[in-house]
Amino acid sequence: MRTLIRGRFALPVALVGVVGLVGLVAFTPSAAQAGPAPVATAPTATTAAPTAKAPAGAAAHPTATAASTASPAAAGTSVTGSPLTSSHGITYYEPAGSLIAPGQALYAASCASCHGVDAAGSARAPNLQGLGAGTVDFWVSTGRMPLANSSVQATRKPPRFNRLQTLEIAAFVQSRTPGLGIGIPVVNLSQASLAAGNSLFTLNCAACHTITGAGDELAYGAYAPSLHLATATQVVEAIRSGPGNMPHFSEGNITNSEARDIAAYVTEVIQHPVDRGGFGLGGIGPVGEGFVALLFGVGVLMLVAFWIGERS
Ligand code: HEC
Ligand code: HEC
């Protein structure tokens, strides 16, 4: 009797065990390395070197890292220009004067038809003078500008210009009104508090962008876009300039240290959710957990079936 049971049980139990173990081995390490599935939409890999707080979208414009993450000194001398103000990890730059001439040519070709040769605006598009290089950088680096057709709301799309060209255009527009508007923020996230960023985001941003940063419809056909592609620089630019229907927050409303914390929360937590779902069996993810379920679930079912068969 006992040997009979053992004989009958041995094969199915071994089979299920092998399937389960093969599944665990096959999926666990690779799933853990590949990074969380939701991040697939963002071009940046989570496996980047620890120093590279690479903004999502950096791949689209390779030198973006220089302005967003490199040490302020390096970015300042090589690309961005001279610092205007600096506090709590955010330095606002005015683009270097050498960028103005090439920027004027790019502007004339791609922007002047709508915004006017001197960026003073026209019937087709608003005045850009006085907005500052940071505002121009936001609209061009997020691909909103140049506008393809006058839709209800300019949307994020792959940027037309690389990082240097974008800074050149910003430099030209800034040169019309030196010293006015917001500079281009270079954000150092190393001292940022994700906990503070979490509560500040919940308080100031989640109402429109939702708590997960997925974005939502607003009144009058407008919408608050997803925050899954914005870089730290773009987050601070949006906070300070208030694009479209978004309110702008001055340093009296959101300090630089708070803006830095929010930028860190958006780029590190919202864009890289670590939880892969499932019940947290060591965080091996749903596929691995599925095999565990198969291992135990099917095994138990078989035991029950054999037990019933044995009784009758
Ligand atoms: C086809 C016409 C068109 C072209 C070309 C165009 N823009 Fe615009 N731009 C607009 C319109 C219309 C708006 C207002 C859109 C909105 O508020 O959503 C705008 C808004 C902007 C804003 C925000 C202004 C504000 O008050 O916040 C900036 C900055 C800007 N454009 C820069 C540029 C730059 C730089 C270029 C060239 C690379 C460019 N635009 C090309 C039509 C255009
Ligand atoms: C009243 C609603 C509202 C609030 C509050 C708000 N936003 Fe926005 N936000 C918008 C809208 C609308 C846009 C799109 C503007 C446009 O393209 O014309 C936007 C755009 C953005 C973008 C650009 C995203 C991209 O990739 O193109 C960022 C980044 C952003 N917001 C960050 C924030 C942060 C951070 C906060 C909180 C400090 C915040 N927003 C609060 C409505 C809001």
Side-chain angles (χ1 to χ4, degrees):
M1 174 68 184
R2 201 167 265 191
T3 42
L4 182 71
I5 293 179
R6 229 184 271 140
R8 283 205 189 176
F9 277 42
L11 185 63
V13 167
L15 198 72
V16 169
V18 165
V19 169
L21 285 176
V22 164
L24 276 175
V25 169
F27 282 90
T28 303
S30 54
Q33 296 298 302
V39 184
T41 48
T44 319
T46 29
T47 47
T51 46
K53 293 225 161 71
H61 35 87
T63 45
T65 25
S68 299
T69 65
S71 78
T77 48
S78 63
V79 189
T80 321
S82 46
L84 298 168
T85 61
S86 179
S87 79
H88 297 95
I90 302 184
T91 307
Y92 297 88
Y93 284 90
E94 185 159 280
S98 60
L99 303 179
I100 296 172
Q104 178 157 24
L106 291 169
Y107 178 92
S110 301
C111 322
S113 60
C114 290
H115 290 283
V117 284
D118 224 20
S122 74
R124 304 183 64 191
N127 180 8
L128 303 180
Q129 292 190 1
L131 297 179
T135 309
V136 176
D137 180 40
F138 174 85
W139 286 79
V140 178
S141 70
T142 60
R144 283 177 168 76
M145 291 292 142
L147 200 64
N149 53 16
S150 320
S151 53
V152 186
Q153 181 176 322
T155 51
R156 183 173 185 121
K157 45 189 191 306
R160 165 92 61 92
F161 301 100
N162 69 27
R163 189 73 195 130
L164 180 60
Q165 293 170 322
T166 303
L167 293 171
E168 289 169 347
I169 294 171
F172 168 71
V173 176
Q174 179 75 76
S175 73
R176 303 297 89 191
T177 51
L180 291 187
I182 63 162
I184 296 175
V186 174
V187 190
N188 181 345
L189 298 176
S190 60
Q191 303 290 313
S193 160
L194 293 178
N198 182 348
S199 45
L200 288 162
F201 183 87
T202 307
L203 194 66
N204 296 292
C205 323
C208 294
H209 291 282
T210 77
I211 201 81
T212 62
D216 202 1
E217 299 285 333
L218 302 176
Y220 308 112
Y223 67 92
S226 152
L227 299 182
H228 285 269
L229 293 176
T231 66
T233 286
Q234 290 166 350
V235 169
V236 176
E237 286 170 347
I239 290 174
R240 291 289 177 244
S241 71
N245 290 315
M246 176 170 158
H248 80 92
F249 300 85
S250 67
E251 290 184 29
N253 305 123
I254 291 182
T255 66
N256 278 333
S257 98
E258 291 169 338
R260 174 203 59 192
D261 292 348
I262 294 172
Y265 182 73
V266 169
T267 55
E268 292 178 17
V269 178
I270 285 186
Q271 296 178 356
H272 302 287
V274 278
D275 188 359
R276 268 171 226 122
F279 292 110
L281 299 175
I284 56 176
V287 178
E289 285 171 25
F291 276 98
V292 173
L294 190 69
L295 183 65
F296 287 108
V298 175
V300 166
L301 279 180
M302 282 189 156
L303 286 175
V304 169
F306 278 103
W307 178 67
I308 292 173
E310 207 57 41
R311 282 185 4 150
S312 52

